Amino acid sequence: MNDDAPLHDDKLQEVARRLGARAADRLDVERTAQVVVARLRTEPRAQIRVLGGIRPAWLRIAAMLVIVVGAGVVVRSVWRDRPTATALVAGAELNGLSADQLRQVLEAVGQPGGEDEAISSQDVGLEDLSALELRALLESLEG
Amino acid sequence: MSPAEPVAAVPTDAALIAAWHGGDEPAAAELVRRHARALARFLAGAGALAADVDDLVQETFIRAFRALGRFRGQCQFRTWLMTIGGNVLKDAHRRSRRARVVPLGDDLRATDGDPHERVVAGEAERRLAAGLEQLPRMQREVFLLRAQQGFEYEEIAAALGTTPGAARVHYHHAVRRLKEYVK
């Protein structure tokens, strides 16, 4: 007990030794032994082993994995279903239009492009040109 | 002069545990007889209500026998039993909080319903019990295992999964705080 010398307190230890003495005296040890053995006998060993064999740490890890995978699935589905930025902006702009203006927009969207609509040079490749068009192109390049 | 009768050797805890593993029920009963009172003292000291001690002792033994396959003899069976008792008590407190059971006052702790017994229960004991309730669980259990049960720091450390030095520090912190309650 030299380890406790700086804080040694006989009174404290004496009180601590008395603590719970009455509860211990009241305990019917023989009955407790019988009850424990009876419970061990009635509860199947297999069940005991299964429940007792799973360490809480593994249970915690398994629970965390389930939570992480579940959260991943939820986030992925939400991400997939979210509206695109363009749609959001367009939606916000359309909110400010009147009924007539909306009708005009719908009509404009429904119309196909005109024949005289300019085509960007980036939209057409050499492979899209016919033999005549290629010859005309070469001649124009030669001047 | 008659020859001395052979003295029946008292089986060790390890022998009883091995016998129980082999299906010997009386060995389990003997382990309960051997350690039940010390466990009851520990549980009462750790804050168990007097009315609950009997059930908590039983539950602790049931859990201990279920988990005996994991007991590697790293500490004494009794010390290991008390760490399980600490877990059982913690679970019981959690359940009682969930059920919104109002705990009895300190003057009723670790006593039965006999008013006379309550009167004679030492004031210092009540104060110590109240102080123990305020301690972190590790400090409380180290203090009880040391001061109440008389275990060495090495034994306590092995049971609680810490080092003897850390157990010593926990004990000293506990004593420092408890002195304020008991003085």
Side-chain angles (χ1 to χ4, degrees), chain B residues 25-177:
Chain B
E25 287 184 352
E30 179 57 25
L31 282 168
V32 175
R33 285 187 206 101
R34 196 173 278 188
H35 301 291
R37 285 200 197 284
L39 176 62
R41 285 178 62 220
F42 176 80
L43 290 169
L49 298 176
D52 295 339
V53 169
D54 200 1
D55 289 342
L56 291 170
V57 167
Q58 288 177 22
E59 186 59 31
T60 302
F61 274 109
I62 293 293
R63 277 202 207 178
F65 281 115
R66 285 175 179 174
L68 260 181
R70 299 202 300 270
F71 178 59
R72 300 278 178 254
Q74 65 275 24
C75 59
Q76 294 175 34
F77 176 72
R78 178 175 289 190
T79 333
W80 183 70
L81 191 66
M82 287 177 186
T83 62
I84 294 174
N87 290 333
V88 169
L89 183 60
K90 182 183 160 192
D91 292 347
H93 279 159
R94 194 183 300 143
R95 278 197 302 274
S96 67
R97 275 200 300 272
R98 205 176 296 149
R100 298 188 180 185
V101 172
V102 179
L104 296 172
D106 290 331
D107 55 337
L108 298 180
R109 187 172 302 288
T111 65
D112 61 15
D114 180 1
H116 176 69
E117 194 174 353
R118 287 206 299 271
V119 170
V120 299
E123 178 66 17
E125 232 173 297
R126 285 201 294 269
R127 288 183 179 182
L128 178 59
L132 281 166
E133 272 191 14
Q134 304 303 317
L135 294 183
R137 183 180 167 189
M138 183 65 106
Q139 285 184 21
R140 180 168 55 243
E141 294 193 356
V142 168
F143 175 81
L144 287 170
L145 290 172
R146 176 74 174 163
Q148 184 197 52
Q149 303 286 332
F151 290 116
E152 296 295 329
Y153 288 120
E154 287 74 14
E155 173 67 19
I156 295 168
L160 295 178
T162 185
T163 64
R168 188 178 285 111
V169 169
H170 285 305
Y171 179 81
H172 285 179
H173 281 307
V175 167
R176 188 175 290 126
R177 291 178 66 177

Side-chain angles (χ1 to χ4, degrees), chain A residues 1 3-4 9 13 16-19 22 24 26-27 30-31 35 39 41 43 45 48 52, chain B residues 20 25 33 37 41 54 58-59 66 70 117 125 132 146-148 153 168 171-172 179:
Chain A
M1 290 297 235
D3 291 339
D4 305 330
D9 189 325
Q13 297 214 357
R17 279 192 290 272
R18 282 205 313 264
L19 205 60
R22 285 188 299 279
R26 275 194 304 273
L27 186 73
E30 195 52 45
R31 181 181 157 276
V35 170
R39 279 184 65 185
R41 190 184 304 141
E43 293 173 17
R45 282 281 185 109
I48 288 170
Chain B
W20 155 248
E25 287 184 352
R33 285 187 206 101
R37 285 200 197 284
R41 285 178 62 220
D54 200 1
Q58 288 177 22
E59 186 59 31
R66 285 175 179 174
R70 299 202 300 270
E117 194 174 353
E125 232 173 297
L132 281 166
R146 176 74 174 163
Q148 184 197 52
Y153 288 120
R168 188 178 285 111
Y171 179 81
H172 285 179
K179 273 184 173 179

Side-chain angles (χ1 to χ4, degrees), chain A residues 44-59:
Chain A
R45 282 281 185 109
Q47 182 188 354
I48 288 170
R49 289 222 174 100
V50 167
L51 293 174
I54 301 173
R55 290 172 183 271
W58 287 108
L59 281 176

Side-chain angles (χ1 to χ4, degrees), chain B residues 11-32:
Chain B
T12 63
D13 285 351
L16 291 173
I17 290 167
W20 155 248
H21 276 309
D24 185 0
E25 287 184 352
E30 179 57 25
L31 282 168
V32 175

